[in-house]
Amino acid sequence: MKRGMVLTLTLVLTVAMAVTTANAQQYVRTDTLTGHMNSLHAIAFKDNVTLISGGGDQTLRAWDVTTGRQLWEQHVGSGFSAAALPSHDPHFIAYGGGNNNIRMRYSGDGDWRAEMTGHTNSVICLAFKPNSYLLASGSLDNTIRIWDVGDRDNLRRVRTLRGHTAYINELAWSPDGRVLASAGYDGTLRLWNPNNGINFAVLRGHTAAIWSVAWSPDGRILASGSDDDTIRLWNPDTHGTLRVLRGLPDRVYSLAFHPDGQTLASAVNDGTIRLWNPNTGHLKATLLTGSLGDHHIAFSPNGQILAGEGPSGKDILLFRLLTVDVTGNGSVTISDLLEVARNYGQTVGAGANRKADVNEDGEVDVDDVLAVIQAVDAAMAADEDVSLEEEPADSVDLPVEADDETGDTWEGEEAGAPAIGPGSIGTGMSLLQASDVRRWIRDAKAANADPAGIAALERLLAALTRVAAPPPKETVLLANYPNPFNPETWIPYQLSDPAEVTVSIYSVDGKLVRTLELGQVPAGIYQSRSRAAYWDGRNAQGEPVASGVYFYTLTAGDFSATRKMVIRK
């Protein structure tokens, strides 16, 4: 998917309707958990029913994901920035904050456990070694510390790991606990022996800060996501690159493997969660979240629920794995939507097709419509232009020494609705009428349903009725916003014709700072944050640029225009 573009549902009409198919099972947004008053900093499943979240409102909250009900809330003090749950003790919680310390307590009753000190700057990531109370912490002080927190009366720092030249964004233990992986703002992914603190490998290849790292359940794949808009899949044994997923529209902030290892979820700062086959690099589906900030994701232990952040950054969206193959032919197409339409408003016990009741609540209603339409939309989005590239190994093995207790180391909105046949589409006795879709939209809005699902229905209605916004009469480069800005800005524009679009950013002395390649963009208006070109205020090397005056040039085919903007820190 190119920058500035949002998902478009594409329908193809023939005598016997043909559409792109989706998998028989899809993750479909079903619930939104609201309660946090500030941005989320961590989410983790305690078990298949209970989700723990921590936010900038200085609270820990627990949720029942089957009912959407909040179970408890605890105020934990200032500067909340990260949290972790040990896999063998889901009642125990460790969390870090802006006060440089790590705090621990038991969930539910709030029983205070202890506080660990040692970092000289904010703790921003935490991770427990599998089946143990060995806790790793990463900080803005550029160090990793490993703690033994199993004995309340004998809490101790085991060692300190040094090697990163910038702060640590994420930590992940291998499934067997033998290796600790760290993702750094310095653009390196490092592998550590936690028993002696030796940094035995540095994996290089990303060209900007690395924000996320995750191990496959079998330990055979290590995934990393970066500010360079790529995901890299590594062989942790050879330290070589297995493949690179390129063409992503923004920073990959968070990664999570499905428990069966067959799906890798990535939270991208364009408001999407993208689901991949890690063995082939194939994009399986794209889920809309609307979250444009730091975006955390987590799978439930049984893989039935995927949790992510909503547009506000404070709410938690729940995507459930539902069987959306209503017709039972092994794929999901508009034919499945037609079957839901035929049974709409009926209950299962009163003769409705049981499979049309996708969410199994006993009634075929708008929730079932939204489940199917989102599944088809997700499959369409997966057909976007995201490239897969095989690459050779690019790593450095380092013999590094470390001491024992101290652990000190010496290292060296949419692009316009498609136009298809007016009135209805369908085959045989099943017909999908525009009036059906209008009814679904009314019902969905009345139920405050998922806006992404409503948007998909509106695209479908536009396709049925040949409603499409006319393109602008001229191509124009508009003023960026906010201006002045710090640390990011959006650059709006409009295109009278489809074109290959590039935005180039220059310093006041004319030096090229950054190039944003937006790719082939359809005619349309690109003004909202989800559609405009986005610049994070960094140069091509991923470094924040200095305050001052900058110029940005839009090139679209034969069109070129330049405007001025200001960054202030």
Side-chain angles (χ1 to χ4, degrees):
M1 181 177 179
K2 304 300 184 182
R3 287 185 193 271
M5 298 180 67
V6 184
L7 311 180
T8 300
L9 177 65
T10 304
L11 302 177
V12 179
L13 178 65
T14 62
V15 175
M17 182 183 58
V19 295
T20 298
T21 62
N23 294 328
Q25 285 190 311
Q26 290 282 336
Y27 281 97
V28 177
R29 177 178 166 185
T30 56
D31 296 288
T32 302
L33 309 180
T34 61
H36 282 290
M37 304 304 293
N38 207 324
S39 58
L40 291 170
H41 290 170
I43 54 175
F45 278 92
K46 170 183 171 182
D47 49 42
N48 290 322
V49 174
T50 308
L51 179 71
I52 307 295
S53 62
D57 57 2
Q58 304 170 22
T59 64
L60 286 169
R61 297 170 189 258
W63 312 85
D64 184 329
V65 295
T66 63
T67 64
R69 183 172 60 91
Q70 180 175 304
L71 300 175
W72 51 259
E73 171 187 346
Q74 294 174 8
H75 185 79
V76 295
S78 62
F80 185 100
S81 61
L85 307 174
S87 57
H88 69 302
D89 186 354
H91 300 288
F92 186 53
I93 298 175
Y95 56 95
N99 63 355
N100 310 342
N101 298 340
I102 301 168
R103 297 176 176 180
M104 290 160 285
R105 69 178 65 208
Y106 280 93
S107 62
D109 56 15
D111 179 36
W112 178 256
R113 174 84 175 207
E115 185 168 9
M116 304 291 292
T117 62
H119 281 295
T120 59
N121 208 327
S122 298
V123 176
I124 57 176
C125 55
L126 295 166
F128 275 102
K129 180 180 177 179
N131 301 312
S132 79
Y133 287 107
L134 210 60
L135 177 68
S137 59
S139 168
L140 288 178
D141 65 12
N142 302 353
T143 69
I144 301 166
R145 297 177 188 243
I146 298 179
W147 317 80
D148 187 341
V149 299
D151 186 348
R152 178 195 300 254
D153 299 320
N154 186 30
L155 301 172
R156 64 189 183 93
R157 175 169 59 91
V158 177
R159 57 182 47 87
T160 301
L161 311 180
R162 292 186 172 90
H164 282 286
T165 59
Y167 60 83
I168 292 86
N169 283 319
E170 189 65 274
L171 296 166
W173 294 83
S174 61
D176 60 10
R178 295 181 180 180
V179 180
L180 177 66
S182 58
Y185 197 77
D186 58 7
T188 66
L189 183 66
R190 294 173 181 255
L191 303 183
W192 308 81
N193 182 331
N195 296 320
N196 57 24
I198 291 178
N199 176 198
F200 63 85
V202 179
L203 310 185
R204 303 184 188 275
H206 285 295
T207 60
I210 303 175
W211 287 90
S212 51
V213 59
W215 293 84
S216 63
D218 61 7
R220 295 182 179 180
I221 299 176
L222 184 63
S224 58
S226 170
D227 250 346
D228 64 11
D229 304 349
T230 69
I231 297 172
R232 285 182 175 258
L233 304 180
W234 309 84
N235 183 325
D237 295 324
T238 65
H239 313 149
T241 303
L242 295 171
R243 56 186 59 89
V244 182
L245 308 180
R246 300 185 184 278
L248 290 158
D250 212 320
R251 170 193 303 166
V252 181
Y253 188 81
S254 184
L255 294 167
F257 274 93
H258 188 280
D260 68 6
Q262 299 306 304
T263 300
L264 172 66
S266 60
V268 185
N269 277 31
D270 68 336
T272 67
I273 298 174
R274 294 167 186 245
L275 306 181
W276 311 84
N277 181 329
N279 302 307
T280 65
H282 173 68
L283 180 62
K284 300 166 69 173
T286 300
L287 310 177
L288 290 176
T289 65
S291 177
L292 299 178
D294 298 348
H295 186 185
H296 301 83
I297 52 177
F299 280 105
S300 62
N302 61 9
Q304 291 298 305
I305 298 177
L306 173 61
E309 296 178 21
S312 69
K314 300 179 290 185
D315 301 335
I316 304 170
L317 308 182
L318 300 182
F319 295 87
R320 299 179 187 274
L321 189 61
L322 299 178
T323 300
V324 286
D325 179 14
V326 179
T327 59
N329 63 356
S331 62
V332 182
T333 69
I334 297 298
S335 296
D336 298 282
L337 194 59
L338 293 170
E339 184 63 14
V340 174
R342 190 178 67 82
N343 290 270
Y344 194 80
Q346 300 182 50
T347 59
V348 172
N353 181 349
R354 184 176 298 275
K355 289 187 176 182
D357 179 21
V358 175
N359 63 356
E360 299 181 349
D361 64 354
E363 182 179 0
V364 181
D365 53 20
V366 72
D367 291 332
D368 303 302
V369 170
L370 293 173
V372 176
I373 195 69
Q374 287 184 84
V376 176
D377 220 19
M380 297 296 180
D383 289 334
E384 295 167 343
D385 183 18
V386 178
S387 64
L388 168 66
E389 179 178 327
E390 302 284 343
E391 288 205 352
D394 190 2
S395 63
V396 180
D397 291 334
L398 297 176
V400 184
E401 299 181 7
D403 67 15
D404 46 16
E405 279 299 308
T406 64
D408 291 332
T409 63
W410 301 268
E411 174 189 60
E413 290 340 286
E414 304 75 44
I420 64 172
S424 65
I425 56 177
T427 57
M429 297 298 293
S430 298
L431 289 175
L432 180 60
Q433 299 287 339
S435 58
D436 293 327
V437 183
R438 292 191 182 98
R439 177 187 177 187
W440 297 338
I441 293 172
R442 288 195 301 269
D443 291 350
K445 290 181 177 179
N448 294 319
D450 176 14
I454 295 174
L457 287 174
E458 289 174 339
R459 288 195 291 274
L460 176 59
L461 178 61
L464 287 169
T465 56
R466 290 184 180 268
V467 175
K473 293 183 178 180
E474 59 180 348
T475 298
V476 178
L477 175 62
L478 304 171
N480 70 301
Y481 62 90
N483 189 12
F485 70 94
N486 177 30
E488 57 188 2
T489 190
W490 284 262
I491 300 172
Y493 60 96
Q494 63 184 42
L495 300 177
S496 59
D497 297 292
E500 189 78 17
V501 177
T502 301
V503 175
S504 302
I505 299 165
Y506 300 90
S507 58
V508 71
D509 59 0
K511 294 181 178 179
L512 179 64
V513 174
R514 182 80 176 268
T515 299
L516 309 177
E517 297 180 355
L518 309 188
Q520 185 70 23
V521 180
I525 298 174
Y526 298 87
Q527 286 187 260
S528 67
R529 291 195 175 194
S530 63
R531 295 170 64 82
Y534 167 78
W535 183 40
D536 59 5
R538 299 179 184 276
N539 61 21
Q541 289 72 47
E543 304 163 333
V545 301
S547 300
V549 176
Y550 292 83
F551 295 89
Y552 57 99
T553 298
L554 175 77
T555 302
D558 296 331
F559 175 88
S560 180
T562 301
R563 298 184 71 121
K564 182 176 70 174
M565 61 181 167
V566 178
I567 183 170
R568 180 181 298 163
K569 295 186 176 180

